[in-house]
């Protein structure tokens, strides 16, 4: 009798694993369900009680498809380790692993991944990942002859379906209504949702036949007036994880723009990102496609705004201190900062964005007398280790949160830390402007700053970013866009700055504007240019 309980049949193994997943890994799901229930009056308590049972039966049915000799242990060990990480992200940060987040994960480098390692994440992996994986490895599973095993499996699966059918028969209307009112629930089901998203990503990226590459702007011409024989020089600063509600220019009540105040920067109000994570937003913002019709496969198989500038004969240089350009800069001159390049500004795991200023000095010193665009891709406010984004001398708002498990910091500490990153970015922008002012005898200079996406800092229980766009909170998709234009640049390129300031104050901008605004600002003429999307065209005399 004791031996019967020590050994497991495959069906019993399926049910135990399903019960564990339902009771542990799907706690975030039930938190979401609770919020949905709280919004509904007069919910049948038996309907609520049926939900964990329904999930257990459904997972038991699905898992039984994979409880096959020689496959069962390695499959569920791997699945459990992955599910442990997904569970922790959802529980602590309310992060959903949809297609975009899977894409972001695949493109994360080792240094970036280490930012998420802390005592809380390690303990979680030990208790919900490694320990269950070890128990799966040690499980004494009794295998029966093939036909007998198949028959038992069929009976088990039919029993699970019968249970699901009974619950559906009794509570069909309740499930249908609850599902319609809480469509985001499916995104929190572990492991089915993240596995489906990962399978879709792998299929799209590695298994499908690559699309034929499409060149854009091969007809591009630089028609800059270059008055006074001075070429145009634009520095485009691509921000990371900066949200507009913590930027003073957007009405924030803290001095997070203390360095650039008085420099004449223009803030474009109500600007929305293309995605809520870098892997989506960065290629999207430089793509000819807008957010509504953006497709990652197509984007990687066609030229970007950077490429069109290059086709027009404009000198383009991309300098990166973040996680790479996600394919945007692959066809132009680009440098990724060596994390060991500067002992004062780099640790081997990250560099402060000041390292880009030093690189910018080199580029400006060697700049040719031709129209030029230099892109600075900063690490900005990348979390959760916000405290590693600014040097000690830029630690203005205190007390801050010097840890990566930000959910354990107070709201004040977390906000102070994040605000320090915004203030430090403002310092970087002020230094860029000062360097451009020093080049005005040789160039007509301008700077444009635009963040890739925003960030949640505990609002509604959400942290970090990467929420599916359809349910992403405003904190993750409202981003700052700032411009500084020298007097000579505006005069020689016929820009009415009073008009531009007025247009910027009206709002209604997005990443969709960047492609054409870059071409317009640099006077590039091509059939792929769409003037209505160029925010500078409205004020070009």
């Amino acid at each position: 009798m004791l031996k019967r309980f020590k050994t497991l049949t495959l069906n019993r193994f399926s049910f135990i694993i399903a019960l564990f997943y339902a009771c542990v890994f799907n706690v975030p799901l039930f938190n979401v369900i609770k919020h949905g229930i709280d919004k509904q009056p007069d919910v049948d308590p038996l309907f609520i009680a049926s939900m964990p049972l329904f999930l257990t039966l459904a997972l038991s049915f699905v898992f039984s498809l994979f409880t096959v000799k020689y496959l069962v242990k390695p499959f569920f060990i791997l699945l459990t380790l992955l599910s442990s990480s997904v569970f922790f992200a959802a529980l602590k940060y309310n992060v959903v692993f949809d297609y975009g987040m899977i894409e972001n994960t695949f493109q994360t480098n080792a240094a970036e991944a280490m930012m998420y390692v802390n005592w809380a994440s390690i303990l979680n992996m030990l208790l919900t990942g490694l320990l269950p994986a070890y128990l799966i490895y040690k499980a004494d599973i009794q295998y029966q002859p093939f036909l007998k095993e198949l028959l038992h499996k069929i009976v088990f699966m039919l029993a699970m379906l019968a249970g699901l059918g009974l619950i559906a028969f009794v509570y069909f209307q309740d499930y249908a209504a609850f599902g319609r009112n809480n469509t985001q629930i499916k995104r929190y089901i572990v492991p089915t949702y993240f596995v489906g998203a990962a399978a879709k990503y792998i299929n799209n990226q590695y298994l499908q036949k690559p699309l034929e590459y499409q060149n854009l702007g091969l007809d591009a011409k630089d028609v800059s007036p270059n008055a006074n024989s001075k070429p145009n020089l634009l520095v485009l600063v691509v921000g990371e994880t900066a949200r507009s509600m913590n930027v003073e220019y957007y009405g924030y009540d803290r001095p997070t723009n203390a360095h650039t105040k008085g420099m004449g920067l223009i803030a474009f109000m109500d600007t929305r990102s293309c995605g809520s994570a870098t892997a989506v937003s960065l290629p999207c913002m430089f793509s000819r496609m807008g957010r509504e019709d953006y497709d990652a496969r197509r984007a990687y198989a066609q030229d970007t705004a950077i490429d069109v500038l290059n086709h027009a004969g404009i000198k383009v240089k991309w300098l990166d201190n973040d996680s790479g350009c996600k394919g945007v800069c692959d066809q132009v001159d680009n440098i990724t900062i060596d994390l060991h390049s500067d002992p004062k500004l780099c640790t081997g795991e990250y560099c402060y964005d000041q390292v880009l200023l030093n690189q910018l000095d080199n580029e400006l010193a060697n700049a040719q007398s031709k129209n030029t665009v230099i892109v600075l891709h900063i690490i900005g406010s990348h979390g959760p280790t916000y405290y590693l984004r600014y040097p000690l001398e830029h630690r203005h708002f205190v007390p801050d949160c010097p840890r990566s498990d930000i959910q354990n910091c107070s709201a004040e500490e977390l906000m102070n830390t994040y605000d320090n990153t915004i203030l430090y970015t403002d310092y970087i922008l002020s230094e860029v402007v000062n360097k451009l002012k020093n080049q005005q005898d040789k160039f007509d200079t301008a700077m444009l700053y635009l963040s890739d996406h925003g960030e949640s800092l505990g609002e509604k229980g959400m942290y970090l970013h990467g929420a599916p766009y359809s349910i992403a909170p405003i904190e993750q998709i409202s981003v700052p866009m700032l411009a500084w234009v020298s007097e000579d640049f505006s005069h020689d390129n016929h820009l009415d700055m009073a008009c531009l300031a007025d247009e910027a104050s009206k709002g209604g901008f997005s990443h969709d504007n960047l492609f054409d605004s870059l071409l317009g600002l640099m006077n590039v003429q091509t059939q792929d240019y769409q003037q209505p999307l160029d925010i500078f065209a409205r004020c070009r005399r």
Side-chain angles (χ1 to χ4, degrees), residues 142-152:
Q142 182 181 18
Y143 300 101
Q144 303 179 76
F146 176 76
L147 290 178
K148 187 176 182 181
E149 193 72 76
L150 180 61
L151 179 62
H152 285 190

Side-chain angles (χ1 to χ4, degrees), residues 110-126:
E112 191 175 4
M114 288 302 296
M115 299 174 190
Y116 297 90
V117 177
N118 50 61
W119 286 113
S121 63
I122 292 172
L123 182 60
N124 169 78
M125 178 56 70
L126 288 173

Side-chain angles (χ1 to χ4, degrees), residues 143-188:
Y143 300 101
Q144 303 179 76
F146 176 76
L147 290 178
K148 187 176 182 181
E149 193 72 76
L150 180 61
L151 179 62
H152 285 190
K153 185 181 294 290
I154 292 173
V155 172
F156 175 78
M157 295 176 72
L158 289 175
M160 297 302 102
L161 285 177
L164 292 170
L166 179 61
I167 295 173
F169 176 77
V170 176
Y171 293 111
F172 176 78
Q173 294 296 337
D174 299 271
Y175 275 98
F178 194 80
R180 282 195 301 269
N181 294 327
N182 301 275
T183 56
Q184 76 276 19
I185 285 177
K186 64 181 180 181
R187 304 175 189 270
Y188 288 86

